[in-house]
């Protein structure tokens, strides 16, 4: 199974690129430690604690994920807050251009992202490739926001006009589940970024490998440091994000 099989199932050809260059997948001998991604760099949680990441297909340990504290959330939010002024001052077209580069990188690396999904989530490769393709559709939608979110001015009477516009809010949080490791984060992150917000994402601790690789691709695409951040962890991180005074 692969890109050709997906295309036979009416998947858009542009959504998947099948390459021979494969990412080196983690396994029992080659495990990945998934840390927080703050200010454009991976950093260990302040607690020093980690949970095992297990493959649901084999029950084998394939990595470990940090268990962060509320102080790590504070650090990530501060990073995002500091990056907001310069990021939001760019034109929407400029932000979309960076997202378009990310879209292309996802297409280029679709197979390796899908293989990570298979490893940590248990989907078969066809389902995993579809997860990537559908997520990248939303990235593509975000790239069109300069045309879709322009706002408008309505003249409602001879001396009265009404204007609607969309302004970035600031730091936004996205807390996502385990079932679609790539697709569901893309429902929020690319749209929030193109609209000028900065983001702190909390992936599921069950499937952190996919978004770790995605963070690397975002940085490669040109997302400035601090604009996109990730905090790993469990309940304490979720509650800290929900309650944080600087989260919009």
């Amino acid at each position: 199974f692969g890109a050709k099989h997906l295309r036979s199932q009416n998947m858009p050809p542009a959504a998947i690129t099948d390459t021979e260059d494969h990412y080196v997948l983690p396994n029992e001998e080659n495990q990945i430690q998934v840390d927080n991604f703050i200010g454009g760099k991976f950093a260990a949680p302040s607690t020093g604690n980690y949970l095992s990441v297990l493959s649901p297909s084999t029950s084998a340990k394939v990595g470990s994920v940090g268990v962060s504290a509320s102080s790590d959330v504070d650090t990530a939010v501060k990073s995002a807050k500091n990056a907001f002024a310069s990021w939001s001052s760019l034109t929407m077209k400029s932000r979309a251009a960076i997202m378009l580069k990310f879209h292309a990188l996802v297409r280029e690396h679709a197979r390796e992202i899908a293989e990570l999904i298979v490893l940590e989530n248990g989907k078969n490769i066809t389902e995993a490739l579809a997860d990537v393709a559908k997520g990248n559709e939303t990235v593509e939608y975000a790239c069109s926001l300069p045309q879709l979110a322009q706002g408008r001015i309505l003249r409602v009477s001879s001396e009265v006009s009404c204007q609607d516009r969309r302004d970035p809010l600031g730091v936004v949080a996205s807390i996502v589940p385990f079932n679609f490791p790539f697709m569901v984060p893309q429902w929020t992150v690319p749209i929030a970024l193109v609209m000028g917000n900065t983001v702190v994402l909390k992936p599921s601790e069950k499937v952190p490998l996919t978004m770790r690789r995605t963070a690397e691709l975002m940085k490669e695409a040109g997302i400035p440091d601090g604009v996109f951040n990730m905090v790993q962890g469990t309940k304490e991180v979720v509650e800290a994000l929900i309650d944080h005074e600087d989260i919009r």
Side-chain angles (χ1 to χ4, degrees), residues 61-157:
K61 181 180 177 181
V62 294
S64 56
V65 60
V67 180
S68 300
S70 58
S71 60
D72 297 302
V73 173
D74 289 337
T75 301
V77 173
K78 182 179 179 180
S79 175
K81 189 175 181 180
N82 290 340
F84 173 69
S86 58
W87 179 245
S88 61
S89 69
L90 296 177
T91 64
M92 194 183 302
K93 181 179 178 181
S94 297
R95 296 190 296 262
I98 296 174
M99 193 58 60
L100 187 60
K101 294 178 183 177
F102 172 65
H103 178 269
L105 285 171
V106 171
R107 289 175 58 188
E108 179 182 347
H109 296 277
R111 182 78 187 194
E112 70 187 55
I113 298 171
E115 288 173 348
L116 286 169
I117 293 170
V118 170
L119 183 70
E120 66 178 355
N121 179 264
K123 296 182 189 295
N124 62 47
I125 191 62
T126 303
E127 293 174 324
L129 284 166
D131 186 331
V132 178
K134 296 302 290 185
N136 214 22
E137 283 183 9
T138 309
V139 178
E140 186 174 355
Y141 170 81
C143 294
S144 68
L145 285 171
Q147 289 73 46
L148 298 176
Q150 292 180 354
R152 57 182 177 169
I153 297 177
L154 300 176
R155 189 177 182 186
V156 296
S157 68

Side-chain angles (χ1 to χ4, degrees), residues 3 9 13 41 70 80 102 104 133 141 145 166-169 175-176 187 189 196-197 200 203 227 231 245:
Q9 300 297 316
K41 298 178 181 179
S70 58
F102 172 65
Y141 170 81
L145 285 171
R166 303 190 182 208
D167 295 326
L169 296 174
I175 302 167
V176 294
W187 288 353
V189 173
N197 302 288
V200 179
V227 170
V231 182
E245 61 181 6

